[in-house]
Amino acid sequence: MAEDSDLEKTESATPRRLQKAREEGQIVRSRELSTFALLAAGFFGVWGMSGSIGEHLQGMLRAAFTFDHAGAFETRRMMIGAGVASREGLYALLPILAFTGVAALFAPMALGGWQLSAKGLEPKFDRLNPIAGLGKMFSINGPIQLGMSLAKTLVVGVIGGTAIWNRREEILALATQPLHLALANTVHLIAVCCGMTVAGMFVVAAMDVPYQLWQFHKKLRMTKEEVKREHRESEGDPHVKGRIRQQQRAIARRRMMTNVPKADVVVTNPTHFAVALQYTDGEMRAPKVVAKGVNLVAARIREIAAENNVPLLEAPPLARALYHNVELNREIPGPLYGAVAEVLAWVYQLRRFKTEGGDVPLAPTELDVPAELDKGGVSDDEADQEAAETLNATNDDASGASA
């Protein structure tokens, strides 16, 4: 479809998309980096182990060219000599094979790391489609790959050719030198040319790695719709989650009316807000809100509180702050500790007055409520929705109980 075209795939791949691609065996790979690692390991391995390699090669040549009449005409002795020479050659090459093997294993770690995926080994018959093959040949990647190959050949060829051209006089002078000196200088020149070739491959790898990274991430780009769809799949549909939260709030509000008789005090606005607080010393770290509401719900909370002799305190700023900043069955925040402590102290004094008599305690009036917590009133729509979720559910429960 048009929306899935490359032109519209402008979003970077998400972590989930990258992980899925990795599970399918799609990871960043650079052949030039692996080639450079193998050449560098082989070159520096030969350079570092040249003494040991030379001893083994010397022993191999000595055993190969040292023979008598019997050794030249007896097959068994010839095979023994060949085995000894092969063993010496293996000992000479074993360190180089070890270096290159380690480089072959660890070169992929520089980009995508190791990845074992059975999906990468699954047969894909669409690769046998000749039309798709022609499409890949004539796509934009074809000229880019051709350009990279030409650049690699040009870079390595120029560096190697320059190294040989700059040492042309040394190469021509080998013909006039004694044998042992000519051999030593030849080995030196070969080492220099190989080192320059490795340096050339480093340049090629340095150009190929950024291109492979760019190509890999470009291939995994996503459209805006794919990102949104993945977000919905991983996080859930916002509409569904909203309905779930709405149902959870309705259930909590339906239950909260049964907690009003257990409250210690109801803080009111006095008419628009009502918040019921409860605190049990030794069981709670701080007072918590057990019921709250506005307008019709607030009126119902006040009615239930009056029917159950729960004290009512008019403190508009505190009522609004508690309503807006504390969820049901949650403890009050730290900035409201002082104000709520004064309210609870008044409640305890009121209880003592009812049992022991004495002076009527004065209700607190100047409560310390931070201005940023007092967010004012609520909209009529929110109040109506709250009433519908709370009062209708409560009436339904009451009707069911009476039935």
Side-chain angles (χ1 to χ4, degrees):
M1 295 179 65
E3 64 267 22
D4 292 331
S5 65
D6 290 339
L7 293 177
E8 294 190 2
K9 291 186 176 182
T10 57
E11 305 301 313
S12 300
T14 61
R16 184 181 179 187
R17 176 73 179 92
L18 293 174
Q19 180 62 29
K20 184 178 179 181
R22 186 174 183 85
E23 292 173 356
E24 295 176 351
Q26 299 180 30
I27 51 180
V28 185
R29 283 289 180 262
S30 172
R31 295 180 181 178
E32 313 308 334
L33 179 61
S34 300
T35 302
F36 164 72
L38 292 175
L39 288 177
F43 173 73
F44 289 107
V46 171
W47 193 333
M49 304 291 294
S50 58
S52 175
I53 294 174
E55 292 177 1
H56 286 294
L57 290 178
Q58 185 178 3
M60 182 185 69
L61 293 176
R62 184 183 297 111
F65 291 104
T66 301
F67 55 88
D68 52 14
H69 182 273
F73 290 94
E74 292 184 13
T75 304
R76 178 175 175 275
R77 297 187 65 177
M78 290 177 61
M79 296 301 296
I80 293 175
V84 173
S86 300
R87 186 169 59 252
E88 290 294 331
L90 177 62
Y91 290 157
L93 296 177
L94 195 59
I96 311 305
L97 295 176
F99 278 120
T100 54
V102 172
L105 288 176
F106 285 93
M109 294 293 294
L111 287 180
W114 294 334
Q115 176 65 21
L116 300 177
S117 175
K119 292 185 179 180
L121 301 177
E122 294 178 356
K124 296 183 179 180
F125 297 102
D126 56 345
R127 295 179 179 176
L128 302 178
N129 188 348
I131 298 177
L134 290 174
K136 291 181 179 179
M137 290 176 59
F138 293 101
S139 65
I140 190 173
N141 290 330
I144 292 177
Q145 293 294 338
L146 177 61
M148 292 294 294
S149 300
L150 292 177
K152 176 176 66 175
T153 303
L154 183 63
V155 170
V156 175
V158 168
I159 293 178
T162 302
I164 295 175
W165 179 258
N166 291 338
R167 290 165 177 79
R168 62 187 184 278
E169 296 181 357
E170 299 178 25
I171 296 174
L172 294 175
L174 294 176
T176 62
Q177 295 176 356
L179 180 60
H180 67 282
L181 183 60
L183 289 174
N185 290 334
T186 300
V187 172
H188 174 73
L189 289 173
I190 293 174
V192 170
C193 293
C194 289
M196 296 299 292
T197 303
V198 172
M201 283 305 305
F202 173 77
V203 175
V204 173
M207 293 188 300
D208 184 63
V209 168
Y211 169 74
Q212 294 298 335
L213 288 171
W214 174 80
Q215 182 70 13
F216 175 77
H217 289 286
K218 178 178 179 293
K219 182 180 179 181
L220 295 181
R221 282 179 185 171
M222 306 170 67
T223 63
K224 289 181 170 35
E225 182 61 30
E226 288 175 338
V227 174
K228 293 178 181 178
R229 182 167 61 248
E230 181 180 296
H231 180 74
R232 287 196 299 268
E233 292 174 354
S234 59
E235 301 294 333
D237 192 334
H239 299 289
V240 176
K241 294 176 68 176
R243 287 195 295 267
I244 293 175
R245 285 195 296 267
Q246 182 179 356
Q247 293 175 358
Q248 291 174 341
R249 286 196 301 267
I251 294 173
R253 287 169 178 165
R254 181 168 62 244
R255 293 175 179 173
M256 77 179 183
M257 289 302 184
T258 61
N259 294 326
V260 175
K262 306 173 186 177
D264 293 311
V265 64
V266 174
V267 183
T268 66
N269 192 31
T271 58
H272 297 293
F273 288 84
V275 180
L277 295 174
Q278 183 183 21
Y279 177 67
T280 303
D281 189 16
E283 297 181 6
M284 302 179 184
R285 296 179 302 176
K288 66 179 182 179
V289 172
V290 295
K292 66 176 184 175
V294 296
N295 296 351
L296 295 177
V297 178
R300 183 56 183 156
I301 292 174
R302 291 195 302 271
E303 291 176 5
I304 298 175
E307 293 171 358
N308 292 272
N309 297 320
V310 176
L312 298 172
L313 174 66
E314 294 184 9
L318 179 59
R320 292 191 296 265
L322 290 170
Y323 180 87
H324 287 294
N325 297 281
V326 188
E327 296 295 331
L328 284 175
N329 299 316
R330 298 293 183 183
E331 296 177 353
I332 64 172
L336 296 178
Y337 278 4
V340 174
E342 292 186 44
V343 173
L344 292 178
W346 171 74
V347 171
Y348 298 149
Q349 293 172 5
L350 191 61
R351 291 176 182 174
R352 188 180 301 112
F353 165 74
K354 292 180 179 181
T355 57
E356 301 177 2
D359 297 333
V360 179
L362 298 177
T365 55
E366 299 295 332
L367 298 175
D368 183 16
V369 178
E372 63 272 12
L373 298 182
D374 185 359
K375 300 179 182 179
V378 299
S379 64
D380 293 338
D381 292 338
E382 294 179 2
D384 293 340
Q385 181 181 358
E386 181 183 81
E389 293 176 353
T390 307
L391 300 181
N392 292 344
T394 304
N395 294 334
D396 292 342
D397 291 346
S399 300
S402 62

